Amino acid sequence: MSYRRGALIVLEGVDKAGKTTQCKQLVHALQQSGRPAEMMRFPDRTTQIGQLISSYLEKKNNLEDHTVHLLFSANRWEMVPLIKKKLDQGITLVVDRYAFSGVAFTSAKPGFTLEWCKQPDVGLPKPDLVMFLQLNPNVAAERGEFGTERYETSVFQRTVQQRFEQLMKDTSVNWKVIDAARSIEAVHNDIKVLCENSINESENLPLGELWK
Ligand code: ADP
Ligand code: 2DT
């Protein structure tokens, strides 16, 4: 029998673009059609590193900017053995944020270059597909008030959006831009087709290494 791994699928986008909603619907739809699929999210707040990150985001502790960047990256690296195991078992992973959020958010802070921010994540499992949910900040604002966590301001989110745009110029990553201003169902249908194609294309290919 030929080797068939699951696909590593990432959803990215600014706050309220619909990432979590779409990840859940996608996993559900894949499972319904008989394809093994599970959701993951970053930061994963359940680990010890994740708890440090979570209290930083909740403004319960302060961490130096480089330090917290490295913790976000470490939070991905600590999940790599599990990611590889699941993919090897043929399970497709649908991931809510990944290294791209890591780079976009830290590099939106003063004094950080995109290049510096990418380094700790170089060599992570490379997503087979990264779908960027594109949403105008004014439309995002209509989806509800910002919460009280760190980074949840429209000024910061605008800079984050610009950093994502810079990252999307990198053609070594399989980016697909999705118009996220449409109905949940319309967005879901597009995402599902892209994901199914990606699962079929990746199943016999080795997993790549990000930014390497
Ligand atoms: P994110 O994970 O990107 O922050 P969420 O999936 O949590 O976004 O969605 C943010 C809010 O917007 C939720 O209240 C959700 O129900 C709503 N929402 C998600 N997708 C859409 C859509 N396509 N149209 C209108 N509202 C949406
Ligand atoms: P949510 O849990 O609501 O998605 O918010 N972030 C995320 C970073 O700054 N660096 C990272 O590497 C990642 C994955 C984005 C999490 C917040 O943390 C930011 C919003």
Side-chain angles (χ1 to χ4, degrees):
M1 208 178 94
S2 63
Y3 167 73
R4 288 197 177 166
R5 66 170 175 90
L8 182 59
I9 310 282
V10 170
L11 269 80
E12 284 283 9
V14 290
D15 251 52
K16 294 187 282 190
K19 297 179 296 298
T20 305
T21 305
Q22 293 297 335
C23 281
K24 287 183 181 160
Q25 287 214 0
L26 178 58
V27 168
H28 187 247
L30 292 172
Q31 289 172 345
Q32 289 291 326
S33 66
R35 294 175 189 264
E38 289 179 19
M39 182 170 164
M40 283 186 109
R41 67 176 312 136
F42 290 109
D44 178 334
R45 301 188 193 213
T46 64
T47 68
Q48 281 181 306
I49 294 169
Q51 282 162 24
L52 272 175
I53 294 172
S54 188
S55 43
Y56 170 80
L57 289 169
E58 292 167 13
K59 301 180 189 159
K60 289 182 183 155
N61 68 7
N62 248 325
L63 291 166
E64 193 275 332
D65 288 330
H66 299 78
T67 312
V68 76
H69 182 74
L70 296 174
L71 286 176
F72 272 111
S73 176
N75 185 231
R76 284 182 280 280
W77 281 107
E78 68 178 333
M79 300 310 284
V80 167
L82 185 64
I83 292 176
K84 289 189 169 166
K85 186 173 143 208
K86 299 261 183 201
L87 295 175
D88 272 346
Q89 290 171 340
I91 299 168
T92 286
L93 294 176
V94 175
V95 187
D96 188 344
R97 297 191 191 275
Y98 198 56
F100 313 99
S101 275
V103 175
F105 277 74
T106 301
S107 68
K109 296 177 178 179
F112 284 88
T113 64
L114 229 51
E115 272 321 300
W116 187 89
C117 292
K118 283 163 80 173
Q119 292 317 305
D121 285 314
V122 169
L124 275 179
K126 181 177 175 174
D128 298 294
L129 171 66
V130 189
M131 292 179 277
F132 184 77
L133 300 190
Q134 183 87 265
L135 189 69
N136 180 299
N138 301 329
V139 182
E142 286 166 14
R143 291 188 178 171
E145 298 291 311
F146 277 115
T148 53
E149 286 206 335
R150 225 179 269 266
Y151 306 142
E152 292 184 338
T153 68
S154 51
V155 176
F156 194 75
Q157 295 284 327
R158 254 184 271 275
T159 315
V160 169
Q161 166 74 25
Q162 288 166 6
R163 297 295 177 263
F164 273 125
E165 278 162 19
Q166 282 172 274
L167 283 173
M168 281 190 273
K169 290 182 186 150
D170 174 3
T171 53
S172 78
V173 173
N174 184 20
W175 287 101
K176 299 284 180 205
V177 180
I178 313 277
D179 174 6
R182 297 167 299 152
S183 70
I184 292 177
E185 196 189 4
V187 176
H188 169 71
N189 289 338
D190 278 9
I191 286 181
K192 189 161 165 272
V193 171
L194 286 168
C195 181
E196 284 172 345
N197 290 342
S198 175
I199 291 174
N200 294 337
E201 284 162 14
S202 337
E203 63 183 9
N204 295 309
L205 295 176
L207 184 65
E209 292 177 304
L210 182 63
W211 293 324
K212 226 174 172 181

